[in-house]
């Protein structure tokens, strides 16, 4: 089976058509989806969606763009969401110094606070890092005690040297539609990462893989990502799916 470890199926682009999205991924052979929150309302929405489908799980977290919204009340809400039996991880959390929608101080506070929540609940966390490579590396290196339950570098777009550091810290890596784009140049980075740390995602509704680039993405299209990864690594499609299945089990426990 195929696995999408990061999608936003509660996004307003879908107009609440969750049933259609589920039918589409199920008929494409996708057997596990992690529906991801990026603030408190979206984390509540993905929780409610995942309660309805046995092959859908969720992550709850406050994205760095929204870091400024994390206060004591939302921290309590997040702890309660992340304690839910279908919540597999805290995320997405991290640093975004491209958009800078929250200040660096706000982002540091939110990232650390949410790593602590994940650690306390014995859950992994999902990292969004954009224009923040050096800072993310240093930040995680300084907080090794909070990395015991693993973490995922989602939509990984950094270099092989950085991947090695995350890998040594216990990190996993997911790749999305970008690896299917012409001139993506992702072969070397994927080959450089240990096979037991690789995962696949869509980040739907964004980053739609080839040949659907330009359309709205959905979890069924993770098939193109996993098959491309198999091609890059010289595996049979089924072999690649088995590897991803066991990596998801290792990190998320499902
Ligand atoms: Zn995302």
């Amino acid at each position: 089976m195929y696995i999408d470890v990061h999608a936003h199926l509660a996004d307003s682009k879908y107009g609440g058509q969750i049933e259609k999205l589920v039918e589409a991924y199920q008929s494409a052979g996708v057997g596990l989806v992690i529906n991801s929150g990026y603030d408190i309302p979206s984390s509540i929405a993905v929780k409610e969606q995942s309660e309805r489908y046995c092959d859908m799980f969720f992550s709850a977290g406050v994205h760095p763009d929204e870091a400024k919204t994390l206060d004591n009340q939302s921290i309590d809400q997040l702890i309660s969401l992340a304690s839910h039996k279908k919540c597999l991880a805290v995320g997405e959390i991290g640093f975004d110094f491209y958009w800078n929608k929250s200040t660096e101080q706000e982002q540091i506070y939110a990232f650390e606070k949410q790593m602590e929540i994940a650690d306390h609940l014995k859950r992994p966390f999902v990292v969004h890092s954009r224009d923040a490579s050096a800072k993310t590396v240093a930040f995680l290196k300084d907080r090794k005690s909070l990395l015991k339950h693993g973490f995922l570098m989602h939509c990984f777009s950094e270099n092989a040297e950085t991947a090695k550091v995350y890998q040594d810290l216990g990190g996993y890596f997911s790749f999305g539609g970008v690896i299917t784009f012409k001139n993506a140049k992702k072969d070397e980075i994927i080959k450089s990462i240990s096979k037991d740390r690789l995962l696949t995602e869509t980040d739907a509704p964004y980053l739609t893989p080839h040949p659907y680039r330009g359309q709205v993405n959905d979890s069924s299209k993770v098939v193109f990502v996993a098959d491309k990864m198999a091609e890059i690594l010289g595996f049979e499609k089924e072999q690649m799916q088995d590897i991803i299945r066991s990596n998801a089990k290792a990190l998320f426990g499902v």
Side-chain angles (χ1 to χ4, degrees):
M1 64 148 108
Y2 292 99
I3 294 179
D4 183 1
V5 297
H6 190 97
H8 303 285
L9 303 185
D11 191 278
S12 60
K13 282 199 180 68
Y14 300 121
Q17 300 274 318
I18 187 66
E19 226 122 285
K20 275 193 186 159
L21 296 170
V22 172
E23 269 169 37
Y25 76 65
Q26 288 177 344
S27 54
V30 178
L32 183 78
V33 170
I34 304 180
N35 201 356
S36 307
Y38 49 83
D39 59 10
I40 298 298
S42 65
S43 298
I44 294 171
V46 294
K47 175 194 82 114
E48 287 171 355
Q49 288 182 332
S50 74
E51 283 171 338
R52 295 169 55 193
Y53 304 98
C54 61
D55 52 4
M56 188 190 292
F57 293 82
F58 74 99
S59 73
V62 176
H63 186 284
D65 286 353
E66 310 299 328
K68 57 179 173 291
T69 67
L70 196 72
D71 55 15
N72 289 339
Q73 191 200 345
S74 52
I75 286 169
D76 288 345
Q77 283 176 295
L78 185 59
I79 292 170
S80 139
L81 284 161
S83 309
H84 190 283
K85 64 180 190 306
K86 293 202 82 177
C87 183
L88 301 183
V90 171
E92 54 189 293
I93 64 177
F95 289 140
D96 193 316
F97 299 123
Y98 178 79
W99 291 111
N100 281 309
K101 289 186 182 171
S102 294
T103 66
E104 182 170 343
Q105 275 317 107
E106 288 164 340
Q107 294 190 41
I108 288 171
Y109 171 77
F111 195 2
E112 178 155 53
K113 196 80 211 163
Q114 294 181 96
M115 281 172 67
E116 287 168 2
I117 292 170
D119 180 61
H120 182 71
L121 295 171
K122 300 187 167 52
R123 299 239 197 293
F125 58 91
V126 178
V127 179
H128 167 105
S129 174
R130 185 160 184 198
D131 283 6
S133 187
K135 276 193 178 125
T136 307
V137 166
F139 197 78
L140 296 184
K141 266 186 171 171
D142 283 349
R143 289 163 182 79
K144 284 188 184 145
S145 69
L146 299 176
L147 308 181
K148 296 189 289 292
H149 309 290
F151 62 96
L152 173 68
M153 297 304 300
H154 118 80
C155 260
F156 190 66
S157 60
E158 299 168 41
N159 59 28
E161 199 177 287
T162 316
K164 172 87 174 70
V165 180
Y166 291 129
Q167 196 165 293
D168 291 345
L169 291 170
Y172 287 69
F173 304 83
S174 63
F175 290 88
V178 173
I179 72 167
T180 69
F181 297 170
K182 280 196 189 93
N183 306 318
K185 300 196 176 77
K186 292 291 179 187
D187 295 25
E188 292 316 310
I189 178 74
I190 289 173
K191 285 180 189 163
S192 81
I193 293 170
S194 169
K195 307 303 163 268
D196 61 1
R197 299 295 179 85
L198 290 171
L199 288 160
T200 47
E201 67 166 270
T202 57
D203 204 18
Y206 313 107
L207 300 174
T208 312
H210 175 80
Y212 294 99
R213 200 172 175 185
Q215 299 180 25
V216 175
N217 202 3
D218 67 86
S219 288
S220 71
K221 296 185 177 65
V222 80
V223 167
F224 298 97
V225 177
D227 289 354
K228 180 68 187 184
M229 196 182 272
E231 185 193 310
I232 290 169
L233 295 172
F235 291 132
E236 294 296 328
K237 291 175 182 177
E238 292 72 23
Q239 226 178 337
M240 192 75 246
Q241 289 166 42
D242 290 347
I243 290 169
I244 291 165
R245 179 74 197 93
S246 83
N247 295 348
K249 173 118 185 121
L251 180 61
F252 296 112
V254 288

